[in-house]
Amino acid sequence: MVTKVYSVQSESFAPFGLKRSHLKKSLLPFHPEHQIPNLIASDINLDSWKVQSEYSQSSEDLGAMHRTVKSFLRTLKFSVGCFRYYFNRNYDPVIALCSQIKVQEFQFTKCLGNSWNNTDSRGHTVPRRFFSCKDLLKSEQENWKVTSARYMDTAERIKKKLEVMYNKYTFGMSSPVIRFGDSVYFEENGCIFRSKAGVDEGSVETLLSTEDLGFHDAIIQRIRISPDQRYMATSIKSSNSEESSCIVTKLEKLPMVEYIIPNVFSFEWATNDVLFYTSQKNLVCHKVFLATFANRKHAEIVYTEQDPRFFVDIYCTKDRRFLTINSNSKTSSEVWLVDCSDPFNSPILVQQRTKGVIYHVEHRNDELYVLTTYGEPAEYKLMKTPVGSYGMENWQLVYTLQEKTKLIDLEMFRDHCVMFLKRYGHLYLNVISLVSHSVQSIKLPAWACAFESEPHPEYNASTCYFQLTSPVQPPKRFAYTLAENHLVEQEAPITINCHTVRLEAKSKDEIFVPITVFYNTNSKELHRKPLLVHVYGAYGIDLNMSFKAENLMLIEDGWILAYCHVRGGGELGLSWHKDGCMHNKLKGLHDLKACIMLLHELGFSQPKYTALTSSSAGGVLAGALCNADPYLIRAIVLQAPFLDVLNTMLDTDLPLTIEEQEEWGNPLADEKYMECIKSYCPYHNIKPQAYPSVLITAYENDQRIPLIGLLRYVHKLRKAERDHARSMNKKGNLIPNIILNVQAGGSHCAPLWEDSLNEVTSHLAFLYKEFGLERE
């Protein structure tokens, strides 16, 4: 998944002496249908908004919580008018976290507040004739209360240690700021601030406060500033929905919120007062709107996608010459251009969608630069074509990625293109001169496992800033100067007693699968140490290798951490994903088994001390391994896992089923896919046998993972275990714990910081108990 996501870490601005200013608030909702007679309200889905006249007051405790949210989870999306590539829209629930928005001050329950009994989410499409979902849910919640009490003492000890880790390794992280013209914008504690570059800190002004607007505990996702800096568009999101709202603020002497537009996914300023945005409902994003905010305020539809497999987003080119409308499926894409000098003209198609061809465009010096899979080999290439000669027959090759290389990110500058790459577990910068077409390849430090980009809104910038991180290393800032071809490490990594090993396991078809292993350098007798295995393997998305403070606690306690980069993920490029999706999905399962077996053969733990963890679509491989080879692991921890693949892919009324046929296959149209999915689907392959202990965390308002499927899975798994125990007719056999923790509210984007901390604590307490490890 190649995205430009800008994480803003927490930093205390107390020395600035900042105080929140009261913002003017407009009592008028944005109703563009009043100005466009042929545009009906249902097309825009704008509700009435009411703003209280009283301002919400925050406490120091609440402020501390906000800071902890951003430091602990590192999930704030913050960018200003920057170019982004969006290759896939599937969220990693560990990364894409957000905070609760309370709805008392705004009547927006239709667009953000979801009730479990009313939602059109995946968890509520299976008819109740199977059994009462409501009764099962209540039973599981009661069961969790009883079960979690057994872990209380262990959980309290772990939680205290985790809080120390978070304070030590996250609160000190620096916060990147964004320079836009002569101004600097930054976010802190639910507020957006602006100051003049190089001016005394006391001149900082508050542009927006989510709490003053009544959005308590809201997380700011995205910021876009108009070219003349008169308007600011900001999106916010709650934990109970995946749909965001866009707040449009007029940046005068006293900033004034003019409009709030619900159900917005992406947005960009084409001119000083013309905003393009996409509307998202029920995980579907098919429409693009144009809205004006100067003299005659109105909105109109400018693009509608008809194919349900496609998802639409918009971005501006780095030089702000064009706004791009990007319609992407998992296997093809199509881009339309809007000339920002005349945004009311109809969009122009660059290249009609072609099966198997993905492309995205940038602009420089009257040429389009096209990042595409077109041509051989089937990896990403950088090509170019003159403006006006858009068809792929005119595309000229500039640069081709090596095979088995993952393109993580791409950043355009005036005369350079910077590619962030991963090749066989190592990270690289490839800097392409757009003048001479020469390429500089810089290998980054061996400890680094993941990039975290920083915003570069200035087209003429001469330095590229980014951060490197690993599961056991907090993000550290680096700078690369384009003209001097010089890499500067601005912060040294922390020193920890941890050793990193990169291995390769031979899978069933003799393909070598990468594994990254971390363990304490002081550990002895590694075969007796507990092992926590991570896996994902879907959508071409890399296994999450970003920093988590709890990993340091595990390393300190002697745990071994292993990350298995199986097929279906994207770690070795596009072919790695293709070789593990649809009819090849079983290859990911074979890869996972080979990885765990190699770890044990090399003396990294043994089955009775091995745990497996995953989330979302990674639950398919984890659940399949439990059915096929349960003897390899002792316990499994899953977060919002996808476990009932077949029933989900048979139900085309669910919001993502048609779109995801390109990942799992279409069992309704092809019997081969029906049989293939049946062969690995975790739910359909449960049988009476000895299973590992299982802890599943789910969310009531999760639109992506059917809650009914998880309830049925746990019910069936417990029955299979009971049947196995009766058939063995032996006393004293180890009975596994099968536990489901359904969080009230919440969505696939995960919960508030405090709830997340409790979840991590419960996961670790479960594992420590299962392995007989009592943490003092």
Side-chain angles (χ1 to χ4, degrees), residues 190-237:
C191 296
I192 301 173
F193 302 105
R194 177 174 65 180
S195 66
K196 295 295 182 181
V199 178
D200 181 78
E201 295 172 346
S203 64
V204 173
E205 59 178 323
T206 305
L207 303 179
L208 181 73
S209 167
T210 57
E211 284 193 31
D212 283 349
L213 283 172
F215 294 102
H216 300 298
D217 307 337
I219 287 295
I220 296 168
Q221 285 196 296
R222 177 184 301 193
I223 295 175
R224 293 292 189 266
I225 307 297
S226 65
D228 62 357
Q229 301 189 62
R230 291 182 59 212
Y231 287 96
M232 176 177 69
T234 309
S235 62
I236 59 174
K237 197 173 192 176

Side-chain angles (χ1 to χ4, degrees), residues 580-634:
C581 69
M582 299 184 74
H583 60 277
N584 291 322
K585 188 59 70 174
L586 274 171
K587 292 182 179 179
L589 174 60
H590 299 152
D591 292 352
L592 177 58
K593 178 180 178 179
C595 289
I596 296 176
M597 291 182 67
L598 177 65
L599 289 167
H600 292 161
E601 290 170 9
L602 295 178
F604 291 107
S605 193
Q606 50 189 295
K608 66 179 179 180
Y609 300 132
T610 298
L612 178 62
T613 183
S614 190
S615 60
S616 194
V620 174
L621 295 183
L625 184 77
C626 283
N627 290 327
D629 301 284
Y631 61 88
L632 286 177
I633 51 179
R634 168 67 181 277

Side-chain angles (χ1 to χ4, degrees), residues 65-103:
M65 189 199 74
H66 277 293
R67 289 190 293 274
T68 309
V69 168
K70 293 185 287 294
S71 295
F72 165 44
L73 300 173
R74 301 181 55 76
T75 60
L76 185 65
K77 276 60 170 184
F78 190 102
S79 52
V80 180
C82 298
F83 169 65
R84 302 192 345 168
Y85 289 117
Y86 234 56
F87 292 177
N88 195 295
R89 69 181 185 86
N90 296 281
Y91 291 115
D92 182 336
V94 177
I95 299 175
L97 305 179
C98 50
S99 283
Q100 178 88 25
I101 298 178
K102 298 182 180 178
V103 302

Side-chain angles (χ1 to χ4, degrees), residues 64-65 73 80 104 194 223 294 318 320 322 332 339 363 408-409 480 566 619 637 642:
M65 189 199 74
L73 300 173
V80 180
Q104 296 94 310
R194 177 174 65 180
I223 295 175
K318 194 69 170 288
R320 304 193 67 85
F322 292 106
S332 61
D339 192 332
H363 177 264
I408 299 173
D409 207 345
Y480 177 80
V566 303
V637 173
F642 189 28

Side-chain angles (χ1 to χ4, degrees), residues 211-276:
E211 284 193 31
D212 283 349
L213 283 172
F215 294 102
H216 300 298
D217 307 337
I219 287 295
I220 296 168
Q221 285 196 296
R222 177 184 301 193
I223 295 175
R224 293 292 189 266
I225 307 297
S226 65
D228 62 357
Q229 301 189 62
R230 291 182 59 212
Y231 287 96
M232 176 177 69
T234 309
S235 62
I236 59 174
K237 197 173 192 176
S238 85
S239 65
N240 288 323
S241 173
E242 294 198 30
E243 295 170 349
S244 304
S245 293
C246 178
I247 302 173
V248 178
T249 306
K250 192 170 185 179
L251 302 180
E252 297 179 323
K253 290 184 179 180
L254 186 61
M256 179 178 68
V257 173
E258 290 206 335
Y259 300 105
I260 302 176
I261 313 173
N263 304 330
V264 173
F265 178 77
S266 59
F267 48 90
E268 294 282 357
W269 293 99
T271 66
N272 294 333
D273 67 338
V274 176
L275 181 74
F276 282 72

Side-chain angles (χ1 to χ4, degrees), residues 129 171 269 304 478 486 528 564 605:
R129 66 177 179 269
F171 282 174
W269 293 99
T304 301
F478 287 74
H486 184 54
R528 298 180 182 274
C564 302
S605 193

